[in-house]
Amino acid sequence: MADQKASASIEAVESGLAAQGYIASRQIATAVYLSQQIEKPILVEGPAGVGKTELAKAIAAWRGMKMIRLQCYEGLDEAKALYEWKYAKQLLYTQILKDKLGEVLGGAQTLHAALDQLHDFGDVFFSKEFVEPRPLLQALEQPGGCVLLIDEIDKSDAEFESLLLEILSDFQVTIPELGTVSAITPPTVILTSNSERDLGDALKRRCLHLHIGFPEQRLEERIVDSRVPGISQALRRQMVGFIHEIRSLDLKKLPSVSETIDWARVLVLLQAAELDTEIVKDTLNVLLKYEADIEAASPQVTTFIAKAARSNVFG
Amino acid sequence: MRENLHRFFRAARGAGVHVSPAESIDAMRAVKQVGFSDRAILRDALLLTLAKSQDEKLALGDCFDLFFSQPEPRQDSPEADNNDDASQDADRSPSSGAASESGEGPPEGLGPLAQMLLSQDRNAIAAAIASASGAASLSDIRYSTQRGIFSSRILDAMGLQRLRDDLDELTATNPSLAERLRAALDGLRQAVRDTVSQGLALYAREEAENLRNEILRNAPLARIERRQVAEMRALIRQIARRLRERYSKPRKRQRRGHLDVRRTLRRNAAWGGVPFLTAWKRKHRDRPKIVALCDVSGSVAQVSDFFLLLIHSLHEVVDDVRSFAFSSHLIEVSEILEKKSPEEAMAEIMSKVGFGSSDYGSSLVDFEHDFMSTLTPQTTVIVLGDARSNNLDPRADILRRVSERSKRLVWLNPEGRLAWGFGDSEMPRYATFCTVVRQCATAQQLERAVSDIVAIYQ
């Protein structure tokens, strides 16, 4: 069922995501479509809050699949991302099974024979029973496939990238003691990055590279429309226009789509019919997250409102 | 169309996008899915599969637009219909239009190229140029100096030789037609030159850049021309970024190692050796400490400019860097380098201590007096300078004490080894107390030296 949905067309992807409240640009839809068709992960880059993580959620919801999320951070290693041996359980079992071991080895006449017999049982302790699967292994083990979100890969260390390479290219993991675990159904993999550091070429070349920037005005209006249903068309245009003006400033942190949506919600809550200097100044802290940014933007507010209103007339 | 894609990949490489064979296979698979019909979607698909960063996307997008604005060799020839031709005839200059309609027509016995030029079939000519550039493998063009050779190769492939013969013959028999043909040939030459220029823009950008960077990398820093300084700075910054990429992350690597069996058992003794708590081995790592002393006197000012730029980025890689600049006396510049942008910092440092005549002795006295305590047995001390002390007392004894207090003392000298010890150079005297002495005159040597210094802490 899911496969059928996926193999449709770029338009189908677009409308499928739209049904989940995710308004995708053509680039995004093309990327999602291609990633299904040629079974490649998508590496999504772009500023914070433009909907990178949302994209993964929307795909999962649309295709009715489970989403497994791996949040990356400094020092993340294979024990936390892939699998870990349950050491304590292994040791505990050895203790509990002491007597049993005695029984098993009782038959051996020499130390050598005992050792041989022990070898046969050694593998028991390095079996699936004692493996704790972490997100990456879990993703491979989902029988119906899943959406695997590897969030903020740029926060992890360079070594961790190398660990991902096998999964990203072949959808499999090699556990030295157990052998290779291949995916039952290849997961849809989305990696996100804020470009805090450059990722390795090997990783990049295994992925489709999608850059989501700030959306165009029309697209952003549609996004607001789908996310904040109660908003009037005039206000929507005006506020999106205003935000586009704000983005032209040199700020520490430009407001992104998530801020736009928050702001729209706030404005609806305050029952604003249209923007005026008063209400904008009161709610500017929803858009801008630094005191310095607010100070820089405040004097411009009136001009921006006027500009947004004008573009409203002509646009 | 496959052929066309391959040419596009080559053009993409020219635009500085690294297209490996594996990526081109991905791109082919993607294109197979989306088809060629919708150019916007084709563009998206190629951008998604080939470009690996935002910069590359922009470059590739431009390259795509440029590439697909070119006439496609195989498609054009059948499409050269009269309809199109007529409309083009209309906006040609009246004189040439009159000439072509004067009923003479191209006489028999001329070569195909002459026929084509005289009939002024633009589409046919464009197609012929395109296929001739294919034959001359224009996509192999790399340097602007190759323009001439590729132009003549293309013209040869189009049958210039035959055209020359025709011209000679016509000059004798039909001067007016010969005149027309000659004018048309000039036009053709111009068109070919344009094609070659476009080819150069498409296919050669990266090579030319690489070559320039390579030359710059190995050029003596002290003798960089004014116009190259900006490029050099960009190159140094690139080097700094690479160093940062390579060395900044592993420093923060997870320090948990293997299971510490001994400690695990001991810790769980209370439960009769049943291991409820696990203990882990930790990896030990030195914390990097670097002290950099940079000569900014007149003789090495330009080199130290670049060196300061590199130190500036070193501040981002290594937590504990202290930098000092000196010519006749020494000041600490760590804070300036950390707080300000490279350009501002450089200007401030130069205005404070730069361009003077160097006095290593008194600078070392300043260092010993104020900052000797910053040195620990973990510190790497880097000195950048030509060790020319204007025949003043070099105070090598202080350098000995510096060396004794620190882990390593590295001296980077922008002068060639041959000059050491001649004139007022005190290098041999200082060298006895240094762990490493290196010539460091080019960007490449600078990169290697700094890379080695940072690497020992990994």
Side-chain angles (χ1 to χ4, degrees):
Chain A
M1 178 62 200
D3 279 2
Q4 240 174 2
K5 262 190 193 172
S7 60
S9 65
I10 297 176
E11 289 77 34
V13 173
E14 223 164 319
S15 61
L17 291 179
Q20 303 303 322
Y22 191 94
I23 310 294
S25 69
R26 197 194 60 228
Q27 267 110 333
I28 298 176
T30 311
V32 173
Y33 170 74
L34 279 179
S35 91
Q36 298 300 332
Q37 293 299 318
I38 61 178
E39 288 193 349
K40 270 176 113 44
I42 308 177
L43 170 63
V44 194
E45 287 194 309
V50 289
K52 300 189 293 292
T53 307
E54 286 299 313
L55 176 62
K57 289 186 189 162
I59 295 174
W62 163 47
R63 299 186 55 197
M65 293 194 300
K66 189 173 168 184
M67 189 179 92
I68 293 178
R69 179 171 180 167
L70 175 66
Q71 177 69 44
C72 297
Y73 51 87
E74 236 171 61
L76 178 68
D77 59 4
E78 68 178 340
K80 285 172 195 136
L82 204 49
Y83 68 90
E84 183 157 44
W85 290 105
K86 297 174 183 168
Y87 293 102
K89 195 174 168 190
Q90 281 172 338
L91 290 173
L92 192 64
Y93 274 41
T94 328
Q95 291 291 326
I96 294 169
L97 297 179
K98 240 185 209 161
D99 302 339
K100 191 73 187 162
L101 278 177
E103 248 170 60
V104 169
L105 298 181
Q109 295 300 312
T110 63
L111 194 62
H112 205 81
L115 210 63
D116 275 346
Q117 287 192 3
L118 201 57
H119 269 307
D120 296 337
F121 292 96
D123 290 343
V124 175
F125 282 95
F126 285 102
S127 64
K128 270 253 149 112
E129 283 292 299
F130 293 95
V131 171
E132 176 88 65
R134 295 284 155 90
L136 295 183
L137 193 58
Q138 280 171 21
L140 295 182
E141 285 178 336
Q142 297 296 322
C146 66
V147 175
L148 172 62
L149 169 65
I150 302 176
D151 216 4
E152 303 189 329
I153 175 78
D154 55 327
K155 297 257 167 59
S156 70
D157 309 314
E159 291 86 345
F160 181 70
E161 273 179 33
S162 327
L163 188 73
L164 281 178
L165 296 182
E166 191 184 0
I167 294 187
L168 295 184
S169 57
D170 301 327
F171 300 111
Q172 64 176 38
V173 187
T174 306
I175 300 176
E177 294 88 346
L178 291 183
T180 306
V181 180
S182 298
I184 302 162
T185 312
T188 303
V189 186
I190 310 279
L191 299 103
T192 75
S193 155
N194 291 328
S195 315
E196 200 157 279
R197 83 184 156 85
D198 275 346
L199 300 171
D201 287 340
L203 181 86
K204 286 188 167 181
R205 92 132 295 274
R206 280 170 175 76
C207 306
L208 297 174
H209 186 274
L210 175 67
H211 186 274
I212 305 186
F214 296 122
E216 286 169 12
Q217 193 150 346
R218 284 286 148 77
L219 186 64
E220 191 160 12
E221 280 180 36
R222 280 176 55 204
I223 294 171
V224 172
D225 192 31
S226 90
R227 282 307 180 89
V228 191
I231 195 164
S232 76
Q233 193 190 349
L235 178 62
R236 195 175 72 214
R237 278 212 162 164
Q238 219 181 353
M239 63 162 287
V240 172
F242 180 82
I243 283 173
H244 276 249
E245 294 295 333
I246 286 259
R247 285 195 191 130
S248 65
L249 291 176
D250 180 27
L251 298 178
K252 244 185 190 171
K253 158 101 181 60
L254 293 176
S256 58
V257 184
S258 64
E259 271 98 27
T260 310
I261 293 171
D262 287 347
W263 198 38
R265 290 207 175 113
V266 166
L267 291 176
V268 169
L269 208 66
L270 295 176
Q271 295 177 336
E274 60 175 0
L275 292 187
D276 57 53
T277 319
E278 191 86 348
I279 201 158
V280 170
K281 281 200 171 162
D282 285 348
T283 56
L284 211 53
N285 56 352
V286 180
L287 278 183
L288 302 173
K289 305 292 158 121
Y290 288 93
E291 197 55 42
D293 285 356
I294 295 180
E295 269 167 38
S298 292
Q300 312 266 19
V301 165
T302 321
T303 352
F304 283 172
I305 293 176
K307 267 194 192 171
R310 225 176 307 145
S311 72
N312 213 358
V313 174
F314 296 113
Chain B
M1 230 41 208
R2 262 173 84 98
E3 180 58 31
N4 235 350
L5 263 186
H6 278 298
R7 285 201 304 133
F8 178 71
F9 295 152
R10 228 173 307 165
R13 286 190 194 115
V17 180
H18 295 281
V19 180
S20 66
E23 267 150 9
S24 56
I25 292 171
D26 289 342
M28 303 267 244
R29 284 171 66 200
V31 169
K32 212 167 128 196
Q33 295 293 334
V34 298
F36 276 95
S37 50
D38 189 331
R39 197 133 280 186
I41 287 176
L42 178 65
R43 193 173 187 270
D44 283 347
L46 287 174
L47 254 55
L48 279 167
T49 45
L50 295 180
K52 299 296 170 206
S53 70
Q54 189 57 6
D55 289 345
E56 284 193 352
K57 270 198 199 326
L58 290 176
L60 195 67
D62 290 347
C63 180
F64 182 92
D65 298 340
L66 190 61
F67 186 87
F68 283 97
S69 68
Q70 267 194 326
E72 290 163 10
R74 266 159 214 79
Q75 280 200 329
D76 273 8
S77 20
E79 274 173 20
D81 47 287
N82 298 328
N83 201 1
D84 209 336
D85 219 9
S87 69
Q88 280 183 350
D89 264 325
D91 51 25
R92 239 177 254 152
S93 69
S95 66
S96 74
S100 74
E101 280 156 27
S102 62
E104 273 178 80
E108 296 297 309
L110 286 180
L113 181 58
Q115 301 257 10
M116 200 195 297
L117 285 178
L118 287 176
S119 67
Q120 300 201 324
D121 180 349
R122 281 193 185 189
N123 281 336
I125 293 173
I129 291 179
S131 80
S133 2
S137 44
L138 180 61
S139 48
D140 287 341
I141 192 167
R142 287 295 172 265
Y143 309 109
S144 60
T145 44
Q146 292 173 312
R147 260 180 229 225
I149 191 164
F150 273 98
S151 299
S152 60
R153 254 197 234 170
I154 292 173
L155 285 170
D156 283 345
M158 293 179 78
L160 186 69
Q161 204 48 49
R162 178 70 204 273
L163 184 73
R164 284 223 180 89
D165 296 344
D166 289 343
L167 258 179
D168 288 344
E169 215 177 291
L170 280 179
T171 326
T173 57
N174 190 344
S176 72
L177 195 62
E179 196 50 45
R180 259 182 65 206
L181 194 55
R182 206 162 278 135
L185 178 59
D186 283 345
L188 180 68
R189 277 184 206 280
Q190 187 56 48
V192 168
R193 257 201 300 277
D194 289 348
T195 310
V196 172
S197 299
Q198 197 181 15
L200 193 68
L202 265 179
Y203 301 114
R205 231 173 302 166
E206 185 194 25
E207 295 286 332
E209 216 159 87
N210 282 349
L211 184 70
R212 214 169 44 234
N213 275 345
E214 201 49 46
I215 292 171
L216 213 52
R217 211 175 270 273
N218 290 305
L221 289 170
R223 258 169 275 140
I224 296 285
E225 289 169 45
R226 192 164 286 280
R227 66 186 168 81
Q228 287 177 316
V229 167
E231 282 178 51
M232 194 67 199
R233 278 174 188 237
L235 187 68
I236 297 267
R237 215 163 289 147
Q238 209 180 319
I239 290 172
R241 198 171 52 229
R242 204 162 44 226
L243 288 172
R244 197 161 60 227
E245 285 303 321
R246 204 173 328 148
Y247 296 116
S248 70
K249 270 295 168 182
R251 200 161 40 87
K252 296 170 185 161
R253 195 164 27 193
Q254 180 72 340
R255 286 178 57 212
R256 194 180 103 174
H258 294 286
L259 183 74
D260 188 337
V261 179
R262 231 167 31 167
R263 271 180 50 226
T264 304
L265 289 177
R266 198 164 55 220
R267 201 190 256 187
N268 292 292
W271 296 287
V274 180
F276 287 109
L277 301 171
T278 48
W280 302 87
K281 283 185 177 137
R282 286 172 155 262
K283 292 173 198 153
H284 179 73
R285 202 172 288 117
D286 259 358
R287 284 175 65 81
K289 286 190 75 168
I290 293 178
V291 167
L293 304 177
C294 188
D295 182 357
V296 289
S297 63
S299 55
V300 286
Q302 194 148 42
V303 184
S304 46
D305 195 18
F306 295 127
F307 189 69
L308 283 175
L309 197 64
L310 205 60
I311 292 188
H312 185 272
S313 60
L314 210 60
H315 275 267
E316 291 176 46
V317 182
V318 182
D319 292 325
D320 200 345
V321 188
R322 296 189 69 172
S323 352
F324 303 87
F326 64 92
S327 47
S328 57
H329 66 283
L330 177 138
I331 59 161
E332 173 159 15
V333 295
S334 314
E335 200 158 307
I336 306 175
L337 285 174
E338 244 157 66
K339 295 266 163 64
K340 306 211 162 165
S341 74
E343 280 71 23
E344 285 173 339
M346 234 62 76
E348 186 172 340
I349 291 168
M350 285 305 185
S351 75
K352 277 192 173 153
V353 282
F355 301 117
S357 65
S358 48
D359 180 347
Y360 277 74
S362 74
S363 300
L364 283 171
V365 169
D366 284 348
F367 183 76
E368 180 171 42
H369 186 258
D370 295 331
F371 305 112
M372 205 57 165
S373 58
T374 60
L375 301 180
T376 70
Q378 283 88 44
T379 313
T380 296
V381 179
I382 313 171
V383 186
L384 180 102
D386 56 4
R388 291 195 178 273
S389 194
N390 294 314
N391 297 319
L392 298 163
D393 182 5
R395 295 298 303 265
D397 57 314
I398 300 179
L399 198 73
R400 196 192 74 225
R401 286 198 284 281
V402 167
S403 164
E404 281 166 1
R405 282 192 67 116
S406 57
K407 176 177 176 151
R408 298 196 320 158
L409 174 57
V410 181
W411 194 297
L412 306 176
N413 194 326
E415 281 188 350
R417 277 177 189 275
L418 277 178
W420 297 358
F422 287 89
D424 58 350
S425 169
E426 304 285 356
M427 203 56 226
R429 216 181 300 182
Y430 286 138
T432 39
F433 305 117
C434 298
T435 327
V436 185
V437 180
R438 278 201 187 195
Q439 192 205 348
C440 191
T442 68
Q444 197 164 25
Q445 286 170 331
L446 199 59
E447 175 177 8
R448 290 220 183 110
V450 176
S451 166
D452 288 351
I453 291 163
V454 186
I456 60 154
Y457 286 108
Q458 298 296 317

